Amino acid sequence: MKRRERGRENHGPFFASVLLAILVLSLLLPCSKVSAQVIPREEAFYMESWEAPASFNSFNPDAPSFRPFLEPLFILDAWHFEIVPWLAESYEWIGDLTLRITLPSDAAWNDGESLNATDVNYTFSLPLRRSEITGAVADLWTYLDHITVVSSTTLDFVLKAENPNKYILIHTLTTQEILPEHVWSTKEEEYDNLMEFPNTENPVGSGAYKLEYVDVVEGKTIWVRDNNYWGKAYHGLPQPKYIVNIVIDSNEMGNYMLSMGELDWSECFMPAIWELPEGRGTWSTNPPYYMPVPYMTGLIYFNYLQITGDDALNNPEVRRAIAFAINWSKLCDVAFSRLTTPANPSLLPETVPELAKYINTTAVDQYGWAYNVTRANEILDDEGYPWDAGHVWRTYDGTTKIGPYEILIPDGWSDWVAAAEIVLGNLEAIGIDIDVRLCLEEEFFTSIEYGTFEITFDQPSTWTPSIPWYTYYVIYCSRTSPAYNLPMPAYGNWGSYNNTRVDELLDIIALTDPTNVTALTALYGELQYIVLKELPFIPGWFYGPFYEYSETYWANWPTENNPYTGAVCYWDSSHGYFPMLFRLKSTSDVIACDVNLDGIVDIEDIYSMALAYGALSEQPQYKFNLDVNYDGIIDIEDIYSAALQYGQMHDP
Amino acid sequence: MKKPTLSPFFLHVCKKAMFYFGTYFIALSLTFVIIRLMPGNPIQVLVARLMAGRPKGGPVFGVDRLYLLFIQEFSLDKLAHEQYIVYMQSMLGSTINLLTFRICPVLQSANFGISITYYPLTVMDIMTGKLLWSLALLLPSIVIGFIVGNYLGAIAASKKGVIDNVVFNTSLFLSNIPYYCLALILLFVFAFVYRIFPIGGGYSFGRIGFSLTLDWIIDYLHHYALPFLSLFLITVGGQAIGMRVMMIYELNSDYYVYSKQLGLSERKLVNYAYQNAILPQITGLALSFGSIFSGSLITEVVFNYPGIGLALYNAILGRDYPLIQGCFAIITLTTLVANFLMDIAYAFIDPRIRAVYAGEKA
Amino acid sequence: MSLQLLKQSKKFLVGISILLFFIGLATIMPWFMPNPKAMIGGLWEPPSYERILGTDPLGRDVFSLFVHGINMSLRIGILAGLVATAAGVVIGAVAGYRGGIVDEVLMSITNVMLVIPTLALLIVLAAFIQVRNEMLMAFVIGITSWPWTARSIRSQTLSLKAREFIDLARMSGLSEKKIIFQDVLPNMFSYIFMCFALQMAGGILSETGLSMIGLGPTDIVSLGMILRWALSWEAVRLGKWWVFTPVTIAITLLTTSLLLINTGMDEIFNPRMRRL
């Protein structure tokens, strides 16, 4: 019997081997770049962000917000609501117009150069020389007269006598990172537009971390701790040796990764957050789960560039009826998955005493609202918008229908989409027709900045060093609106509300001494009276900062039970997360006990603990990294833990 | 003197190559029409807005840069037919650049455009890596699925009875589940209920770049398993059904019935039938590559697998038009190249085609 | 006569009964549940006696969403199927009957459309259309999926063309258009119906896929949209299987039923498929 049939060739083995080759090669296709480094998980802190790391230039609005290689002069502790010195040592008001900042003498950049007043002066003065620099630091010069360098460690910021706005100055001191003059001044000649300087090659900064690796397509940035960080005597050294920052593109992915332990810290909107498994957490285990401060305030904006004349929405009582008609607690429960609370009509939270004292309770009682459909219908009937039996909707005079109005919502923001649906249903119940239009994120941003929407939502940031003034300023001041700024984009007051007295009040408040409570109460009181009576926009909900963590590798997270600092997101412009980074403790005992982070638990570590023996957390000798079990005292238990780990090494 | 004649096989290859080139040309033109010429298309709207927002004074970084980028990328300052010429030049140049693995220095600047979200990286930079990931997922699942599926289909057809029923019904079910549905179910069962596999990604975080260590390979396979399974199972189902039909044709054909009645061994006969039946399956595979690729796009989104599908999805969310354009071109290119290669392979295998060109058959 | 034959095919019977069940569910149930988007229950309630499929993350009745979703998916599927079949039949019949240059041109176009990855094209198309309502989307899905039908109809036309009664019709002087529409197509009716079943299945799948990634018709309740909400509210991570499992099963059953109808009819009408 012939093995091969005549006339028929046997291609079998040939094709089999081709297929096998294809299989093996294709499996290995992704191994196109070969590198050997793997970061040990327990030394790394994993976080996520949304911005592609193409540039680390502080003036580029597209650059990632998380830049741990740079530091601001001060930061805002979001829970205690205090300005905490960071790069600077202290500040002091000299007279009414001058703020004196003192820097430590040993501040240094990570390339060895010393950091002094020249760098601070340079950073803040850049907008004067380079017109392309915009943003907060440029706006500052509307109110700042000049900066005097008194000595290499002291500077004076002098405000203009005619409008010394202290709020903006303090705000900018927490947001603006200090840049190295010796690097940036050379870049000034190189670049026509300074914002094009990517600053991704060994960027020089003063912070505790240096850039180790960045890949824009992979979306991965890796920061490595600088053991020579100048501030280690003041802030200590952060325990995470590496910070790995991954770009994610959806809340779902971030939440998945957190629940599987692949992220340590995240700021994704997490539905059903009460079902977080063991070992994961957020600020509190009770609603609203996030820090109960109005970090952002949600409002319904009406656009007065589109709503004019006799339009029903131009009538404040109609808007008030809408406020009565919306089921705010259902909105917070369902649309925001219990993460928000209904806002106080005055925009000030009753739960924060320093702010609550300014609430004008009379105005709130008279012009405020609560969910009450009957009352809503009453108001509309009284205002003369009949709802006849024959009609589906209310009308102006029996024939012309009110609306329909269009609410613009970015598609994909599931909480807002759900909220809009609820609002839709609620308004149907009082006879007003609205449509919800879903659009792309970028169309949404353009429409609010250029005033082309009809109705929309937004959540401006309302927990900054400059509140409560800033809250009212960014929402109601006509100078931030599209009407005032076009053709440039607006940066607040999306609906172009314009009231001269409100603007006046805001300006007066900005110049009033923040300690003059009597004067301020009267001023805020009048302000609230006007904006509540006219109700141009409807305050809706208070949102705490998004915050979830995993305790698998790092512990000592700020929570309700451990509120040593505020729990904010990585995009907090006032850098409130710095203390958290420096106080995280590794769950690996070896790393936790290696207090000087030199790679080995040895006599030096025990010696440091012995020197601070008995220190309680309030006392100056207490260094939190010596308190291994973080029980508030450096005692024998901490030394015992170190002894148990004696001689253990880890990768420093 | 003997006139030198072109090999008939070569002619066949050329004919096919021309067809595929023509198809690619049409696909690129379609994209051009969709992206540039549709009324109220997002690019025009966006540029109109940017122009309206342009400040009288100095430049505003974000607005101005985007505006200039759009004008440059889409040559919006030119007329429609000029735009078309520039577009085709750029696309075709980039395609050649990609196909020649970027060796040719002249074509270095032809790169499918500059991405907006990853500015200043070019689409080519971004896509080459992602394409490799997608191929690594597709090729093994299609090849292994093809082999296993056809084998099962042949068995079902020749054995009939219970095996036939079981195989047929399972395959029918499997081949009809949409890729993303199977992906969701696998994800739920194996990544959530039984935590055997990770919920997504191509590899774990702590790895910088890639390495050929055993450790890394295991991690990679661990993340690879579920996406692979969701494509593999459906391919098996589809191939089994198809092969079963082809085998039944063969089993009913004259030569088979006749030979069987002559007493030839069943096994050998089934072997012949199999070899005949598999030819149209290969053509079918070529045609379905496009649909499997398309199906894998959404699977990648479900598993967050870093391939082209996920890149296209993110590009659409972020309205990164150059990236959308480039992704689609590369997806089409891959499909066409795969079809072309399979056509050549088919020409090798099927003796009838070679016979046609050698003049044996009319 | 054909109906008697069809009743013999088990596959056809199974397929048609599943399809009729879904159609029935989709037409009758929505009358009882007019407002699927009403938020009437607690969040994430698992299935119970009052609510057979529980509630979704916004407190909406999943069963109500489910039946409305089937209704919408069926509508879009039927519409897309009609468009695709109509286009495919016309092109295939004309190409097959005319032959020559017309055939070459039409078949080249068909082959080109066959090779271009459809879903990718659909994704790009959907991304650039400003307004997406169900009619437009069904139309778009239909005009990107006709090639398969065109090809099959063409080969059927070719075989029919050779038959005597067509020659008779030609000799009697009927116009080509009349021959195609009065003699050729009616004889292929069962075949056209088979193609329609396939196209409808494809249409349902395409719409679901597009809706799931957010590119489907805006503001509707379809099976794909339900999956999209399940994904964006993280039903899989939270283990809320009742939100997405019934939908997945429904889609699979729907498309399987249509394909069973197709295979069943194929077995009856296609002599090569008969088992000896």
Side-chain angles (χ1 to χ4, degrees):
Chain A
M1 197 65 116
K2 277 222 177 106
R3 259 190 152 209
R4 282 156 124 235
E5 302 296 330
R6 206 178 331 144
R8 173 153 241 147
E9 294 149 33
N10 192 352
H11 297 293
F14 173 64
F15 284 111
S17 42
V18 166
L19 285 179
L20 199 62
I22 296 180
L23 269 178
V24 172
L25 282 176
S26 52
L27 268 181
L28 294 179
L29 272 177
C31 308
S32 47
K33 290 184 262 181
V34 178
S35 115
Q37 192 179 5
V38 173
I39 298 182
R41 181 63 176 94
E42 62 280 358
E43 301 268 9
F45 175 72
Y46 284 75
M47 58 179 282
E48 45 76 26
S49 68
W50 295 69
E51 307 119 329
S55 155
F56 290 109
N57 181 327
S58 312
F59 301 114
N60 183 339
D62 296 332
S65 346
F66 185 73
R67 301 187 280 260
F69 71 106
L70 290 173
E71 303 172 301
L73 291 172
F74 300 91
I75 64 171
L76 174 71
D77 177 329
W79 178 243
H80 300 104
F81 207 65
E82 294 171 347
I83 306 285
V84 175
W86 193 264
L87 189 50
E89 222 171 42
S90 62
Y91 72 94
E92 185 194 348
W93 282 103
I94 300 185
D96 254 349
L97 298 177
T98 313
L99 185 69
R100 171 158 293 183
I101 314 263
T102 323
L103 299 169
S105 47
D106 52 355
W109 298 101
N110 59 19
D111 62 356
E113 297 284 326
S114 109
L115 195 168
N116 52 35
T118 329
D119 298 298
V120 179
N121 186 19
Y122 176 81
T123 309
F124 281 94
S125 307
L126 257 182
L128 293 177
R129 290 201 313 282
R130 308 289 302 215
S131 57
E132 71 268 22
I133 307 278
T134 54
V137 68
D139 288 343
L140 180 61
W141 287 97
T142 326
Y143 312 98
L144 195 62
D145 192 64
H146 64 273
I147 303 180
T148 325
V149 176
V150 172
S151 74
S152 71
T153 55
T154 326
L155 309 126
D156 284 348
F157 284 77
V158 183
L159 293 165
K160 289 185 182 163
E162 60 274 18
N163 56 355
N165 189 331
K166 297 183 179 172
Y167 294 99
I168 297 243
L169 177 60
I170 303 271
H171 194 160
T172 319
L173 290 177
T174 61
T175 56
Q176 181 60 45
E177 298 151 337
I178 306 302
L179 303 171
E181 184 262 341
H182 60 281
V183 170
W184 283 72
S185 47
T186 58
K187 297 300 169 193
E188 283 197 55
E189 287 115 47
E190 243 182 88
Y191 290 90
D192 273 339
N193 185 340
L194 209 50
M195 294 196 270
E196 305 252 342
F197 165 43
N199 201 16
T200 47
E201 304 259 331
N202 295 320
V204 175
S206 59
Y209 285 92
K210 294 195 287 203
L211 186 64
E212 159 103 346
Y213 172 87
V214 63
D215 183 324
V216 178
V217 179
E218 233 186 299
K220 191 182 285 189
T221 318
I222 302 188
W223 304 94
V224 69
R225 183 182 61 223
D226 180 0
N227 286 345
N228 297 320
Y229 173 50
W230 71 269
K232 59 184 172 189
Y234 305 90
H235 309 295
L237 276 181
Q239 283 196 7
K241 179 172 175 206
Y242 296 98
I243 298 184
V244 179
N245 189 325
I246 315 277
V247 172
I248 58 168
D249 40 52
S250 67
N251 283 321
E252 301 90 77
M253 198 56 201
N255 291 329
Y256 265 135
M257 301 195 320
L258 183 85
S259 51
M260 297 295 157
E262 295 190 25
L263 276 183
D264 297 311
W265 182 42
S266 99
E267 47 76 58
C268 298
F269 168 72
M270 184 177 273
I273 202 170
W274 53 90
E275 298 199 7
L276 267 179
E278 267 305 305
R280 313 278 178 274
T282 181
W283 178 264
S284 163
T285 46
N286 300 310
Y289 306 103
Y290 292 146
M291 233 165 65
V293 300
Y295 196 70
M296 295 176 284
T297 307
L299 296 116
I300 304 183
Y301 283 85
F302 300 96
N303 188 357
Y304 298 102
L305 288 179
Q306 309 272 342
I307 298 170
T308 50
D310 287 328
D311 193 311
L313 277 186
N314 215 2
N315 178 343
E317 293 308 311
V318 172
R319 300 193 291 268
R320 200 176 324 280
I322 291 180
F324 272 105
I326 297 179
N327 187 342
W328 297 105
S329 50
K330 184 171 181 187
L331 201 81
C332 294
D333 249 8
V334 172
F336 295 101
S337 206
R338 302 188 201 153
L339 293 170
T340 58
T341 49
N344 184 302
S346 65
L347 285 174
L348 299 168
E350 311 97 317
T351 48
V352 181
E354 301 83 62
L355 298 175
K357 66 188 181 217
Y358 295 118
I359 299 181
N360 181 343
T361 37
T362 336
V364 172
D365 287 337
Q366 189 179 0
Y367 293 112
W369 58 84
Y371 177 51
N372 187 338
V373 181
T374 333
R375 180 91 188 96
N377 278 316
E378 267 174 31
I379 298 179
L380 288 174
D381 291 331
D382 289 342
E383 288 295 311
Y385 297 103
W387 197 1
D388 302 327
H391 287 107
V392 184
W393 309 106
R394 285 184 185 268
T395 56
Y396 287 97
D397 48 15
T399 42
T400 335
K401 171 173 130 173
I402 298 183
Y405 300 106
E406 183 187 84
I407 297 189
L408 193 67
I409 305 285
D411 195 9
W413 295 21
S414 21
D415 47 354
W416 283 21
V417 174
E421 299 238 350
I422 294 181
V423 168
L424 184 101
N426 290 152
L427 290 187
E428 267 179 28
I430 59 168
I432 298 187
D433 182 19
I434 60 168
D435 292 326
V436 175
R437 179 161 84 85
L438 299 178
C439 70
L440 298 169
E441 228 175 78
E442 117 211 315
E443 187 186 336
F444 167 73
F445 285 123
T446 321
S447 81
I448 56 176
E449 288 169 6
Y450 294 93
T452 53
F453 65 95
E454 200 167 17
I455 309 180
T456 190
F457 300 159
D458 196 29
Q459 290 168 181
S461 182
T462 51
W463 194 251
T464 67
S466 39
I467 61 171
W469 170 80
Y470 186 77
T471 305
Y472 295 107
Y473 175 76
V474 78
I475 298 174
Y476 297 113
C477 181
S478 68
R479 294 197 298 272
T480 61
S481 70
Y484 186 85
N485 283 290
L486 277 175
M488 298 270 294
Y491 50 99
N493 190 356
W494 314 120
S496 301
Y497 168 62
N498 192 340
N499 183 311
T500 340
R501 182 63 187 150
V502 167
D503 288 346
E504 266 175 24
L505 283 168
L506 286 169
D507 287 337
I508 301 175
I509 294 175
L511 307 178
T512 311
D513 187 345
T515 54
N516 187 348
V517 179
T518 341
L520 284 174
T521 314
L523 291 165
Y524 281 123
E526 193 189 336
L527 185 58
Q528 287 168 54
Y529 183 81
I530 302 178
V531 297
L532 276 175
K533 178 159 180 236
E534 301 199 350
L535 207 59
F537 314 125
I538 305 181
W541 56 92
F542 287 141
Y543 228 139
F546 298 96
Y547 170 66
E548 294 98 19
Y549 64 82
S550 156
E551 282 187 314
T552 323
Y553 295 98
W554 300 100
N556 197 28
W557 296 91
T559 65
E560 181 178 56
N561 302 319
N562 185 11
Y564 63 88
T565 189
V568 296
C569 331
Y570 70 84
W571 37 265
D572 183 55
S573 53
S574 300
H575 300 88
Y577 48 84
F578 272 14
M580 180 188 85
L581 277 181
F582 279 78
R583 309 243 314 199
L584 284 176
K585 285 220 174 261
S586 171
T587 50
S588 148
D589 287 325
V590 181
I591 301 179
C593 293
D594 179 17
V595 297
N596 60 3
L597 289 172
D598 64 354
I600 180 168
V601 181
D602 58 6
I603 193 65
E604 290 177 23
D605 304 308
I606 299 198
Y607 183 60
S608 313
M609 288 189 205
L611 279 181
Y613 196 85
L616 294 169
S617 52
E618 307 81 49
Q619 295 174 317
Q621 317 93 291
Y622 178 90
K623 291 271 185 281
F624 122 98
N625 60 338
L626 299 173
D627 184 10
V628 172
N629 57 5
Y630 43 102
D631 58 355
I633 179 168
I634 302 175
D635 58 5
I636 192 65
E637 291 177 20
D638 304 308
I639 297 195
Y640 181 61
S641 310
L644 280 179
Q645 299 296 324
Y646 199 85
Q648 297 288 347
M649 310 218 312
H650 68 101
D651 189 21
Chain B
M1 264 255 270
K2 226 183 175 183
K3 238 178 154 186
T5 47
L6 288 168
S7 148
F9 184 70
F10 182 68
L11 279 172
H12 178 72
V13 168
C14 286
K15 203 165 125 182
K16 285 285 173 182
M18 270 174 39
F19 169 70
Y20 285 116
F21 180 75
T23 310
Y24 188 58
F25 199 85
I26 294 181
L28 287 179
S29 308
L30 265 179
T31 325
F32 179 78
V33 168
I34 294 174
I35 296 185
R36 315 300 178 81
L37 299 184
M38 267 175 43
N41 83 67
I43 294 190
Q44 288 177 351
V45 173
L46 198 65
V47 173
R49 275 205 202 105
L50 291 174
M51 287 192 66
R54 252 188 126 192
K56 291 176 266 193
V60 175
F61 187 65
V63 171
D64 218 44
R65 189 201 76 196
L66 261 186
Y67 172 73
L68 288 175
L69 194 65
F70 270 123
I71 299 287
Q72 172 204 315
E73 283 299 304
F74 296 96
S75 44
L76 289 168
D77 43 348
K78 303 202 177 71
L79 300 169
H81 61 270
E82 284 175 356
Q83 284 186 30
Y84 182 66
I85 297 178
V86 172
Y87 167 78
M88 280 315 237
Q89 274 179 338
S90 151
M91 282 289 151
L92 291 175
S94 317
T95 312
I96 300 179
N97 197 5
L98 180 65
L99 288 175
T100 54
F101 302 108
R102 309 168 85 169
I103 322 174
C104 182
V106 172
L107 288 171
Q108 273 318 310
S109 59
N111 49 27
F112 288 113
I114 301 187
S115 156
I116 299 178
T117 27
Y118 296 107
Y119 182 85
L121 286 180
T122 65
V123 175
M124 180 88 92
D125 294 329
I126 301 169
M127 295 315 297
T128 32
K130 308 237 177 219
L131 183 61
L132 294 178
W133 279 94
S134 281
L135 287 178
L137 181 62
L138 277 173
L139 292 179
S141 50
I142 293 181
V143 168
I144 305 182
F146 181 78
I147 298 175
V148 172
N150 280 311
Y151 186 67
L152 282 178
I155 292 190
S158 57
K159 303 276 186 205
K160 302 183 194 134
V162 175
I163 299 187
D164 183 22
N165 257 327
V166 168
V167 171
F168 176 74
N169 290 319
T170 329
S171 311
L172 190 67
F173 183 71
L174 274 180
S175 65
N176 290 335
I177 301 185
Y179 291 97
Y180 39 87
C181 284
L182 185 60
L184 272 179
I185 294 181
L186 285 177
L187 192 66
F188 180 62
V189 174
F190 293 107
F192 179 77
V193 178
Y194 305 107
R195 308 265 168 111
I196 315 181
F197 292 108
I199 25 73
Y203 51 89
S204 317
F205 285 154
R207 307 187 177 272
I208 315 181
F210 313 90
S211 56
L212 282 173
T213 58
L214 186 65
D215 199 43
W216 192 91
I217 292 186
I218 293 185
D219 182 54
Y220 166 61
L221 288 176
H222 193 224
H223 281 88
Y224 182 79
L226 285 183
F228 171 78
L229 266 182
S230 55
L231 291 181
F232 170 73
L233 289 175
I234 299 183
T235 314
V236 165
Q239 291 300 313
I241 297 257
M243 188 55 168
R244 180 180 167 279
V245 168
M246 288 295 133
M247 278 298 276
I248 295 179
Y249 273 0
E250 292 296 313
L251 294 175
N252 286 344
S253 62
D254 296 336
Y255 79 88
Y256 188 86
V257 176
Y258 184 56
S259 311
K260 192 163 166 200
Q261 286 172 346
L262 278 182
L264 280 166
S265 106
E266 178 100 23
R267 218 164 141 221
K268 214 180 273 186
L269 278 174
V270 169
N271 218 2
Y272 288 144
Y274 182 83
Q275 286 176 359
N276 280 336
I278 210 163
L279 297 178
Q281 283 295 85
I282 296 186
T283 326
L285 185 69
L287 286 172
S288 61
F289 183 85
S291 76
I292 301 181
F293 198 170
S294 299
S296 77
L297 297 180
I298 302 193
T299 309
E300 283 181 16
V301 174
V302 172
F303 285 109
N304 225 69
Y305 187 79
I308 294 201
L310 193 60
L312 181 62
Y313 176 63
N314 287 329
I316 291 180
L317 283 185
R319 285 313 192 256
D320 186 346
Y321 301 109
L323 194 54
I324 297 178
Q325 196 174 272
C327 270
F328 181 69
I330 294 184
I331 292 177
T332 313
L333 184 67
T334 316
T335 315
L336 294 179
V337 167
N339 278 334
F340 181 58
L341 291 176
M342 281 195 244
D343 273 348
I344 299 184
Y346 186 71
F348 257 131
I349 308 177
D350 188 353
R352 291 173 291 186
I353 294 197
R354 277 180 292 146
V356 167
Y357 284 99
E360 280 173 25
K361 228 169 168 180
Chain C
M1 183 239 336
S2 340
L3 279 175
Q4 310 288 51
L5 278 175
L6 280 176
K7 281 195 199 144
Q8 289 173 14
S9 164
K10 250 187 16 189
K11 298 195 174 74
F12 180 80
L13 288 175
V14 172
I16 201 90
S17 27
I18 297 181
L19 185 64
L20 286 176
F21 167 71
F22 276 112
I23 293 183
L25 194 68
T27 8
I28 302 177
M29 294 310 292
W31 281 107
F32 295 101
M33 315 179 159
N35 195 357
K37 286 191 177 182
M39 300 171 188
I40 42 162
L43 312 179
W44 297 116
E45 274 175 24
S48 60
Y49 281 116
E50 308 93 56
R51 305 201 203 291
I52 333 179
L53 286 180
T55 62
D56 81 343
L58 301 181
R60 304 187 286 209
D61 184 356
V62 175
F63 186 66
S64 168
L65 287 171
F66 182 62
V67 297
H68 280 264
I70 300 180
N71 183 314
M72 177 64 69
S73 293
L74 277 174
R75 281 190 355 223
I76 297 186
I78 292 179
L79 203 56
L82 281 174
V83 171
T85 314
V89 162
V90 168
I91 294 182
V94 169
Y97 189 76
R98 282 293 213 92
I101 283 285
V102 172
D103 184 21
E104 288 271 341
V105 168
L106 285 176
M107 276 305 112
S108 303
I109 299 179
T110 311
N111 285 332
V112 166
M113 287 297 293
L114 261 179
V115 180
I116 295 182
T118 331
L119 194 59
L121 182 63
L122 266 180
I123 289 179
V124 175
L125 251 178
F128 284 93
I129 301 181
Q130 285 288 69
V131 175
R132 298 197 301 267
N133 57 35
E134 60 178 273
M135 300 281 287
L136 189 60
M137 290 311 289
F139 180 72
V140 165
I141 294 174
I143 57 169
T144 48
S145 49
W146 52 262
W148 283 108
T149 306
R151 249 196 174 190
S152 336
I153 297 286
R154 176 178 169 274
S155 40
Q156 283 288 44
T157 314
L158 280 177
S159 65
L160 265 182
K161 195 167 123 177
R163 302 245 226 113
E164 295 107 14
F165 74 95
I166 299 291
D167 291 329
L168 275 175
R170 244 182 291 156
M171 283 195 287
S172 68
L174 279 173
S175 77
E176 248 178 24
K177 203 166 98 176
K178 281 214 176 132
I179 299 181
I180 295 181
F181 283 101
Q182 285 176 6
D183 282 318
V184 175
L185 287 184
N187 275 294
M188 294 198 294
F189 185 68
S190 52
Y191 203 73
I192 296 180
F193 190 74
M194 278 165 59
C195 289
F196 173 71
L198 272 181
Q199 295 285 25
M200 186 172 148
I204 294 179
L205 285 180
S206 296
E207 183 273 325
T208 311
L210 281 180
S211 291
M212 206 167 109
I213 55 175
L215 289 173
T218 41
D219 216 24
I220 57 166
V221 179
S222 78
L223 294 177
M225 286 302 278
I226 300 180
L227 280 181
R228 176 148 202 254
W229 291 322
L231 279 185
S232 53
W233 289 89
E234 308 180 38
V236 178
R237 174 180 69 83
L238 295 169
K240 315 289 183 190
W241 53 272
W242 58 92
V243 182
F244 59 89
T245 318
V247 174
T248 321
I249 297 180
I251 297 177
T252 314
L253 281 180
L254 261 179
T255 46
T256 310
S257 70
L258 285 165
L259 271 108
L260 274 177
I261 293 177
N262 181 296
T263 321
M265 287 176 79
D266 201 27
E267 276 182 357
I268 297 294
F269 294 118
N270 189 346
R272 287 170 84 190
M273 281 302 290
R274 291 207 196 106
R275 308 282 251 140
L276 288 177

